[in-house]
Coordinates of all heavy atoms in Angstrom, one line a residue:
R315 N -24.1 15.4 -5.1 CA -24.1 14.7 -6.4 C -22.7 14.2 -6.6 O -21.7 14.9 -6.4 CB -24.4 15.8 -7.5 CG -25.8 16.4 -7.3 CD -26.0 17.6 -8.3 NE -26.2 17.1 -9.6 CZ -26.4 17.9 -10.7 NH1 -26.4 19.2 -10.5 NH2 -26.7 17.4 -11.9
I316 N -22.5 13.0 -7.0 CA -21.2 12.3 -7.0 C -20.7 12.1 -8.4 O -21.4 11.6 -9.3 CB -21.3 10.9 -6.3 CG1 -21.6 11.2 -4.8 CG2 -20.0 10.2 -6.4 CD1 -21.8 9.9 -4.0
I317 N -19.5 12.6 -8.6 CA -18.7 12.4 -9.8 C -17.6 11.4 -9.5 O -16.8 11.7 -8.6 CB -18.1 13.7 -10.4 CG1 -19.3 14.7 -10.7 CG2 -17.3 13.5 -11.6 CD1 -18.8 16.1 -11.0
H318 N -17.6 10.3 -10.2 CA -16.6 9.2 -9.9 C -15.7 9.0 -11.1 O -16.1 8.7 -12.2 CB -17.3 7.9 -9.6 CG -16.4 6.9 -9.0 ND1 -16.9 5.6 -8.5 CD2 -15.1 6.9 -8.7 CE1 -15.9 5.0 -8.0 NE2 -14.8 5.7 -8.1
I319 N -14.4 9.3 -10.8 CA -13.3 9.1 -11.9 C -12.5 7.9 -11.5 O -11.9 7.9 -10.4 CB -12.4 10.3 -12.0 CG1 -13.3 11.6 -12.3 CG2 -11.3 10.1 -13.0 CD1 -12.5 12.9 -12.2
D320 N -12.5 6.9 -12.3 CA -11.7 5.7 -12.0 C -11.3 4.9 -13.3 O -12.1 4.9 -14.2 CB -12.5 4.7 -11.1 CG -11.5 3.8 -10.3 OD1 -11.1 2.8 -10.9 OD2 -11.2 4.1 -9.2
I321 N -10.2 4.3 -13.3 CA -9.8 3.6 -14.5 C -10.5 2.2 -14.7 O -10.6 1.7 -15.8 CB -8.2 3.4 -14.5 CG1 -7.8 3.0 -15.9 CG2 -7.8 2.3 -13.5 CD1 -6.3 3.2 -16.2
D322 N -11.0 1.7 -13.6 CA -11.7 0.4 -13.6 C -13.2 0.6 -13.7 O -13.8 1.0 -12.7 CB -11.3 -0.4 -12.4 CG -11.8 -1.8 -12.4 OD1 -12.6 -2.2 -13.3 OD2 -11.4 -2.6 -11.5
P323 N -13.8 0.3 -14.8 CA -15.3 0.4 -14.9 C -16.1 -0.4 -13.9 O -17.2 0.0 -13.5 CB -15.6 0.0 -16.3 CG -14.5 -0.8 -16.8 CD -13.3 -0.3 -16.0
A324 N -15.5 -1.5 -13.4 CA -16.2 -2.3 -12.4 C -16.4 -1.6 -11.1 O -17.2 -2.0 -10.3 CB -15.4 -3.6 -12.2
E325 N -15.6 -0.6 -10.8 CA -15.7 0.1 -9.5 C -16.8 1.2 -9.5 O -17.2 1.7 -8.5 CB -14.3 0.7 -9.1 CG -13.3 -0.3 -8.8 CD -13.6 -1.2 -7.7 OE1 -14.5 -0.9 -6.8 OE2 -13.0 -2.3 -7.5
I326 N -17.1 1.6 -10.7 CA -18.1 2.7 -10.8 C -19.5 2.2 -10.3 O -20.0 1.2 -10.8 CB -18.2 3.2 -12.3 CG1 -16.9 3.7 -12.8 CG2 -19.3 4.3 -12.4 CD1 -16.3 4.9 -12.1
S327 N -20.0 2.9 -9.4 CA -21.3 2.7 -8.8 C -21.4 1.3 -8.2 O -22.5 0.8 -7.9 CB -22.4 2.9 -9.8 OG -22.5 4.2 -10.2
K328 N -20.3 0.7 -7.8 CA -20.3 -0.7 -7.2 C -20.8 -0.5 -5.7 O -21.6 -1.3 -5.3 CB -18.9 -1.3 -7.2 CG -18.9 -2.7 -6.7 CD -17.6 -3.4 -6.8 CE -16.6 -2.9 -5.7 NZ -15.3 -3.6 -5.8
N329 N -20.2 0.4 -5.0 CA -20.5 0.6 -3.6 C -21.3 1.9 -3.3 O -22.1 1.9 -2.4 CB -19.3 0.6 -2.7 CG -18.5 -0.7 -2.8 OD1 -19.2 -1.8 -2.9 ND2 -17.2 -0.7 -2.7
V330 N -21.1 2.9 -4.1 CA -21.8 4.2 -4.0 C -22.2 4.6 -5.4 O -21.4 4.6 -6.4 CB -20.9 5.2 -3.4 CG1 -21.6 6.6 -3.5 CG2 -20.6 4.9 -2.0
K331 N -23.5 4.9 -5.6 CA -24.0 5.3 -6.9 C -23.5 6.7 -7.3 O -23.5 7.6 -6.6 CB -25.6 5.4 -6.8 CG -26.3 5.8 -8.1 CD -26.1 4.8 -9.2 CE -26.8 5.2 -10.4 NZ -26.6 4.2 -11.5
A332 N -22.9 6.7 -8.5 CA -22.4 7.9 -9.1 C -23.4 8.5 -10.1 O -23.9 7.8 -10.9 CB -21.0 7.6 -9.8
E333 N -23.6 9.8 -10.0 CA -24.4 10.5 -11.0 C -23.7 10.6 -12.3 O -24.3 10.5 -13.4 CB -24.8 11.9 -10.4 CG -25.7 12.7 -11.4 CD -26.1 14.0 -10.9 OE1 -26.3 14.1 -9.6 OE2 -26.3 14.9 -11.7
I334 N -22.4 10.9 -12.2 CA -21.6 11.1 -13.5 C -20.3 10.2 -13.3 O -19.6 10.3 -12.3 CB -21.1 12.5 -13.7 CG1 -22.3 13.4 -13.8 CG2 -20.2 12.6 -14.9 CD1 -22.0 14.9 -13.9
D335 N -20.1 9.2 -14.2 CA -18.9 8.4 -14.2 C -18.0 8.7 -15.3 O -18.4 8.9 -16.5 CB -19.3 6.9 -14.2 CG -20.0 6.5 -15.5 OD1 -21.3 6.6 -15.5 OD2 -19.3 6.1 -16.4
L336 N -16.7 8.9 -15.0 CA -15.7 9.2 -16.0 C -14.7 8.1 -15.9 O -13.8 8.1 -14.9 CB -15.1 10.6 -15.7 CG -16.1 11.8 -15.7 CD1 -15.3 13.1 -15.3 CD2 -16.8 12.0 -17.0
T337 N -14.7 7.2 -16.8 CA -13.9 6.0 -16.7 C -12.6 6.2 -17.6 O -12.7 6.6 -18.7 CB -14.6 4.8 -17.2 OG1 -15.8 4.6 -16.5 CG2 -13.8 3.5 -17.0
G338 N -11.5 6.0 -16.9 CA -10.2 6.1 -17.6 C -9.1 6.6 -16.7 O -9.2 6.8 -15.5
D339 N -8.0 6.9 -17.4 CA -6.8 7.4 -16.7 C -7.1 8.7 -16.0 O -7.5 9.7 -16.6 CB -5.6 7.5 -17.6 CG -4.3 8.0 -17.0 OD1 -3.7 7.1 -16.4 OD2 -4.0 9.2 -17.0
A340 N -6.8 8.8 -14.7 CA -7.2 10.0 -13.9 C -6.4 11.2 -14.4 O -7.0 12.4 -14.4 CB -6.9 9.8 -12.4
K341 N -5.2 11.1 -14.8 CA -4.4 12.2 -15.2 C -5.0 12.9 -16.5 O -5.1 14.1 -16.6 CB -2.9 11.8 -15.5 CG -2.0 12.9 -15.8 CD -0.6 12.4 -16.1 CE 0.4 13.5 -16.4 NZ 0.8 14.3 -15.2
I342 N -5.3 12.0 -17.5 CA -5.9 12.5 -18.7 C -7.2 13.2 -18.5 O -7.5 14.3 -19.0 CB -6.1 11.4 -19.7 CG1 -4.7 10.8 -20.1 CG2 -6.7 11.9 -21.0 CD1 -4.8 9.6 -21.0
I343 N -8.1 12.6 -17.7 CA -9.4 13.1 -17.4 C -9.3 14.4 -16.6 O -10.0 15.4 -16.9 CB -10.3 12.1 -16.6 CG1 -10.6 10.9 -17.5 CG2 -11.6 12.8 -16.1 CD1 -11.3 9.8 -16.8
L344 N -8.4 14.5 -15.6 CA -8.3 15.7 -14.9 C -7.7 16.9 -15.8 O -8.1 18.0 -15.6 CB -7.4 15.5 -13.7 CG -8.0 14.7 -12.5 CD1 -7.0 14.5 -11.4 CD2 -9.2 15.5 -12.0
E345 N -6.8 16.5 -16.7 CA -6.3 17.6 -17.6 C -7.5 18.2 -18.4 O -7.5 19.4 -18.6 CB -5.3 17.0 -18.6 CG -3.9 16.7 -17.9 CD -3.0 15.9 -18.8 OE1 -3.5 15.4 -19.9 OE2 -1.8 15.9 -18.5
K346 N -8.3 17.3 -18.9 CA -9.5 17.8 -19.7 C -10.5 18.6 -18.8 O -11.0 19.6 -19.2 CB -10.2 16.6 -20.4 CG -9.4 16.0 -21.5 CD -10.1 14.7 -22.0 CE -9.4 14.2 -23.2 NZ -9.6 15.0 -24.5
L347 N -10.7 18.1 -17.6 CA -11.6 18.7 -16.7 C -11.1 20.1 -16.3 O -11.9 21.1 -16.2 CB -11.9 17.8 -15.5 CG -13.0 18.2 -14.5 CD1 -14.3 18.2 -15.2 CD2 -13.0 17.2 -13.3
N348 N -9.8 20.2 -16.0 CA -9.2 21.4 -15.5 C -9.4 22.5 -16.6 O -9.5 23.7 -16.3 CB -7.8 21.3 -15.2 CG -7.6 20.6 -13.8 OD1 -8.5 20.6 -13.0 ND2 -6.5 19.9 -13.7
A349 N -9.4 22.1 -17.9 CA -9.5 23.1 -19.0 C -10.9 23.6 -19.1 O -11.1 24.6 -19.7 CB -9.1 22.4 -20.3
L350 N -11.9 22.9 -18.5 CA -13.3 23.3 -18.6 C -13.9 24.0 -17.4 O -14.8 24.8 -17.6 CB -14.1 22.0 -18.9 CG -13.8 21.3 -20.3 CD1 -14.5 20.0 -20.4 CD2 -14.1 22.2 -21.5
V351 N -13.4 23.6 -16.2 CA -14.1 24.2 -15.0 C -13.7 25.7 -14.9 O -12.6 26.1 -15.3 CB -13.7 23.4 -13.7 CG1 -14.3 22.0 -13.8 CG2 -12.2 23.4 -13.5
C352 N -14.6 26.4 -14.3 CA -14.3 27.9 -14.0 C -13.6 28.1 -12.7 O -13.7 27.3 -11.8 CB -15.6 28.6 -14.0 SG -16.6 28.5 -15.5
D353 N -12.8 29.2 -12.7 CA -12.2 29.6 -11.4 C -13.3 30.1 -10.5 O -14.0 31.0 -10.9 CB -11.1 30.7 -11.7 CG -9.9 30.1 -12.4 OD1 -9.3 29.2 -11.8 OD2 -9.6 30.6 -13.5
K354 N -13.4 29.6 -9.3 CA -14.4 30.0 -8.3 C -13.8 30.1 -6.9 O -12.8 29.5 -6.6 CB -15.6 29.1 -8.3 CG -16.4 29.1 -9.6 CD -17.7 28.4 -9.5 CE -18.7 29.2 -8.6 NZ -20.0 28.6 -8.6
K355 N -14.5 30.9 -6.1 CA -14.1 31.0 -4.7 C -15.2 30.5 -3.9 O -16.4 30.8 -4.1 CB -13.8 32.4 -4.3 CG -12.4 32.9 -4.9 CD -11.3 32.2 -4.2 CE -9.9 32.7 -4.8 NZ -8.8 31.9 -4.2
H356 N -14.9 29.7 -2.9 CA -15.9 29.2 -1.9 C -15.4 29.5 -0.5 O -15.2 28.6 0.3 CB -16.1 27.7 -2.1 CG -16.7 27.3 -3.5 ND1 -15.9 26.8 -4.5 CD2 -17.9 27.4 -4.0 CE1 -16.6 26.6 -5.5 NE2 -17.9 27.0 -5.3
T357 N -15.3 30.8 -0.2 CA -14.6 31.2 1.0 C -15.4 30.8 2.2 O -14.8 30.3 3.2 CB -14.5 32.8 1.0 OG1 -13.8 33.2 -0.2 CG2 -13.8 33.2 2.2
E358 N -16.7 30.9 2.2 CA -17.5 30.5 3.4 C -17.4 29.0 3.7 O -17.2 28.6 4.8 CB -19.0 30.9 3.1 CG -19.9 30.7 4.3 CD -21.3 31.1 4.1 OE1 -21.5 32.0 3.2 OE2 -22.2 30.6 4.8
W359 N -17.4 28.2 2.6 CA -17.3 26.7 2.7 C -15.9 26.4 3.2 O -15.8 25.5 4.2 CB -17.6 26.1 1.4 CG -17.3 24.6 1.2 CD1 -16.5 24.0 0.3 CD2 -17.8 23.5 2.0 NE1 -16.5 22.7 0.4 CE2 -17.3 22.3 1.5 CE3 -18.6 23.5 3.1 CZ2 -17.6 21.1 2.0 CZ3 -19.0 22.2 3.7 CH2 -18.5 21.1 3.1
M360 N -14.9 27.0 2.7 CA -13.5 26.7 3.2 C -13.3 27.1 4.6 O -12.7 26.4 5.4 CB -12.5 27.4 2.3 CG -12.2 26.8 0.9 SD -11.7 25.0 1.0 CE -10.1 25.2 1.9
N361 N -13.9 28.2 5.0 CA -13.8 28.6 6.4 C -14.5 27.6 7.4 O -14.0 27.4 8.5 CB -14.4 30.0 6.6 CG -13.5 31.1 6.0 OD1 -12.3 30.9 5.8 ND2 -14.0 32.3 5.7
E362 N -15.6 27.1 6.9 CA -16.4 26.1 7.7 C -15.5 24.9 7.9 O -15.4 24.3 9.0 CB -17.7 25.8 7.0 CG -18.5 24.8 7.8 CD -19.8 24.4 7.0 OE1 -20.2 25.2 6.1 OE2 -20.5 23.5 7.5
I363 N -14.8 24.4 6.8 CA -14.0 23.3 6.9 C -12.8 23.5 7.9 O -12.4 22.7 8.7 CB -13.5 22.9 5.5 CG1 -14.6 22.3 4.7 CG2 -12.3 21.8 5.6 CD1 -15.2 21.0 5.2
I364 N -12.2 24.7 7.8 CA -11.1 25.0 8.6 C -11.5 25.0 10.1 O -10.7 24.5 11.0 CB -10.5 26.4 8.3 CG1 -9.8 26.4 6.9 CG2 -9.6 27.0 9.3 CD1 -9.5 27.7 6.3
E365 N -12.7 25.4 10.4 CA -13.2 25.3 11.8 C -13.3 23.8 12.2 O -12.9 23.5 13.4 CB -14.5 26.0 11.9 CG -14.5 27.5 11.9 CD -13.6 28.0 13.1 OE1 -13.9 27.6 14.3 OE2 -12.7 28.8 12.8
Y366 N -13.7 22.9 11.4 CA -13.8 21.5 11.7 C -12.4 20.9 11.9 O -12.2 20.0 12.8 CB -14.5 20.7 10.6 CG -16.0 21.0 10.4 CD1 -16.5 21.2 9.1 CD2 -16.8 21.2 11.5 CE1 -17.8 21.4 8.9 CE2 -18.2 21.5 11.3 CZ -18.7 21.6 10.0 OH -20.0 21.9 9.8
K367 N -11.4 21.5 11.2 CA -10.1 20.9 11.4 C -9.5 21.2 12.8 O -8.7 20.4 13.2 CB -9.2 21.6 10.3 CG -9.4 21.1 8.9 CD -8.6 21.8 7.9 CE -7.1 21.5 8.0 NZ -6.3 22.1 6.8
K368 N -10.0 22.2 13.4 CA -9.6 22.5 14.8 C -10.0 21.4 15.8 O -9.5 21.4 16.9 CB -10.1 23.8 15.2 CG -9.5 25.0 14.4 CD -10.1 26.3 14.9 CE -9.6 27.5 14.0 NZ -10.2 28.8 14.4
G369 N -10.9 20.5 15.4 CA -11.5 19.5 16.3 C -10.7 18.3 16.3 O -11.1 17.3 17.0
F370 N -9.5 18.2 15.7 CA -8.7 17.0 15.7 C -8.1 16.7 17.1 O -7.4 17.6 17.6 CB -7.6 17.0 14.6 CG -7.0 15.7 14.5 CD1 -7.5 14.7 13.7 CD2 -5.7 15.4 15.0 CE1 -6.9 13.4 13.5 CE2 -5.1 14.2 14.9 CZ -5.7 13.2 14.1
P371 N -8.3 15.6 17.7 CA -7.8 15.4 19.1 C -6.3 15.1 19.1 O -5.8 14.4 18.3 CB -8.6 14.2 19.5 CG -8.9 13.4 18.3 CD -9.1 14.4 17.2

Side-chain angles (χ1 to χ4, degrees):
R315 302 172 73 181
I316 296 175
I317 299 169
H318 193 176
I319 302 171
D320 202 278
I321 198 162
D322 186 353
E325 294 297 342
I326 303 294
S327 294
K328 184 177 80 175
N329 296 326
V330 172
K331 179 66 177 175
E333 178 176 330
I334 300 174
D335 63 272
L336 303 177
T337 305
D339 182 81
K341 186 180 182 73
I342 298 173
I343 292 173
L344 286 176
E345 285 173 347
K346 290 176 174 286
L347 189 61
N348 285 334
L350 296 173
V351 296
C352 298
D353 289 302
K354 291 194 74 175
K355 286 293 180 185
H356 297 103
T357 305
E358 188 176 336
W359 172 233
M360 284 300 301
N361 287 340
E362 183 179 347
I363 291 295
I364 289 169
E365 284 301 310
Y366 293 139
K367 287 173 70 172
K368 295 177 182 177
F370 189 80

